[in-house]
Amino acid sequence: MEGTRHRASKSRAVVLLLALLATDGVLAVAAEARFEAAADIRTAAEAAARDRLADVPGQVTAQAEELDPRLQMPACEVPLAATVPPRPQLSSRLTAEVRCSGVRPWRLFVPVRVSVRQAVVVTAMPLERGKILAPGDVILADRELGLIGGGYLTSVEAVTGQVLRRAVPAGAALSPSLLEAPVLIRRGQAVTLQARAGALTVQAPAVARGDGALGQLIEVQNLSSKKLVQAIVQNEKIVEIQLP
């Protein structure tokens, strides 16, 4: 009889313990349900960062920073909204504003680290200032765009024939500010001044009064009239003015 009471008492204790454990689990789940999951907030921030960079060519990755575990935002009964404001330059760090527009609205600013990788033009070897670039001088290499200062270029053909403004080491990403068009006409050089009006073209001998690259406007002196005029460099020998 006493053994039976002991077993019954032990059974009640086990049931009570299971009930307490179940209650704790329910309370924990209920507590979690009252607050928005940090993972969902980070996911919304990362999606907003990728949307902001959707037009940027290359491979985009985004990773939101871990949230302070003490930060507990009320659970949102509607889908979270998130935006990233535009920036004038590509940056490796963005800030996403995550918002809840439910009955208990809130907003939270979440830092997001982004990486955009793309094949850009880099030097294949150390190059000196004034070097006229040939196809073998540069290659395409994968780079993280946010770490490149001053812009970048993506076409080897576009830089071929351009002149370096300063010396650069091997593996350096080339930017538009590092390049300039080669000088085709030098100061004092004899050139042909060409004037065009519709189908009519008139030419006269002239002398360049300054250096000029392709498409650049320079001053030349017409040797026939001795007048100074502004003309556009067409090639190594011809400059042209447009007549009305």
Side-chain angles (χ1 to χ4, degrees):
M1 186 70 175
E2 184 176 346
T4 301
R5 286 198 302 270
H6 177 71
R7 286 193 297 272
S9 177
K10 185 176 181 180
S11 298
R12 286 195 298 271
V14 171
V15 171
L16 179 60
L17 178 59
L18 291 175
L20 288 174
L21 290 175
T23 302
D24 287 344
V26 171
L27 291 176
V29 171
E32 290 179 1
R34 293 201 308 269
F35 302 108
E36 193 68 34
D40 293 341
I41 297 175
R42 295 177 69 241
T43 297
E46 291 166 354
R50 288 192 295 270
D51 288 344
R52 171 54 59 193
L53 300 176
D55 295 333
V56 177
Q59 181 181 357
V60 178
T61 59
Q63 183 174 13
E65 290 188 1
E66 294 289 341
L67 302 180
D68 189 330
R70 296 170 297 179
L71 188 65
Q72 294 182 323
M73 309 305 293
C76 194
E77 70 278 6
V78 297
L80 296 176
T83 55
V84 173
R87 295 180 63 118
Q89 292 184 337
L90 183 64
S91 172
S92 61
R93 294 183 67 84
L94 300 175
T95 299
E97 180 186 349
V98 182
R99 302 181 305 278
C100 171
S101 57
V103 294
R104 291 184 295 174
W106 52 263
R107 65 176 182 167
L108 184 66
F109 293 94
V110 181
V112 182
R113 174 172 174 76
V114 296
S115 171
V116 182
R117 303 193 70 87
Q118 187 181 5
V120 300
V121 179
V122 304
T123 52
M125 62 194 76
L127 298 174
E128 296 296 325
R129 178 177 180 269
K131 167 72 174 175
I132 299 177
L133 296 177
D137 296 328
V138 294
I139 57 174
L140 290 177
D142 186 65
R143 291 288 188 273
E144 185 173 341
L145 301 187
L147 301 180
I148 299 177
Y152 58 91
L153 298 161
T154 59
S155 170
V156 171
E157 291 76 14
V159 305
T160 300
Q162 296 290 298
V163 180
L164 281 176
R165 292 179 178 270
R166 62 176 176 82
V168 291
L174 293 183
S175 66
S177 62
L178 280 174
L179 305 175
E180 62 184 0
V183 174
L184 297 182
I185 292 177
R186 298 287 181 180
R187 177 182 174 86
Q189 178 182 333
V191 297
T192 297
L193 175 62
Q194 181 172 278
R196 189 186 300 274
L200 178 65
T201 300
V202 178
Q203 293 183 334
V207 174
R209 298 291 297 269
D211 297 342
L214 180 65
Q216 187 175 356
L217 190 68
I218 64 171
E219 186 178 65
V220 299
Q221 184 177 33
N222 186 327
L223 295 180
S224 299
S225 65
K226 305 303 181 183
K227 290 183 177 180
L228 297 177
V229 295
Q230 299 288 319
I232 299 173
V233 176
Q234 301 296 311
N235 54 41
E236 297 90 343
K237 297 180 180 180
I238 296 177
V239 296
E240 184 177 279
I241 57 175
Q242 295 289 331
L243 297 178

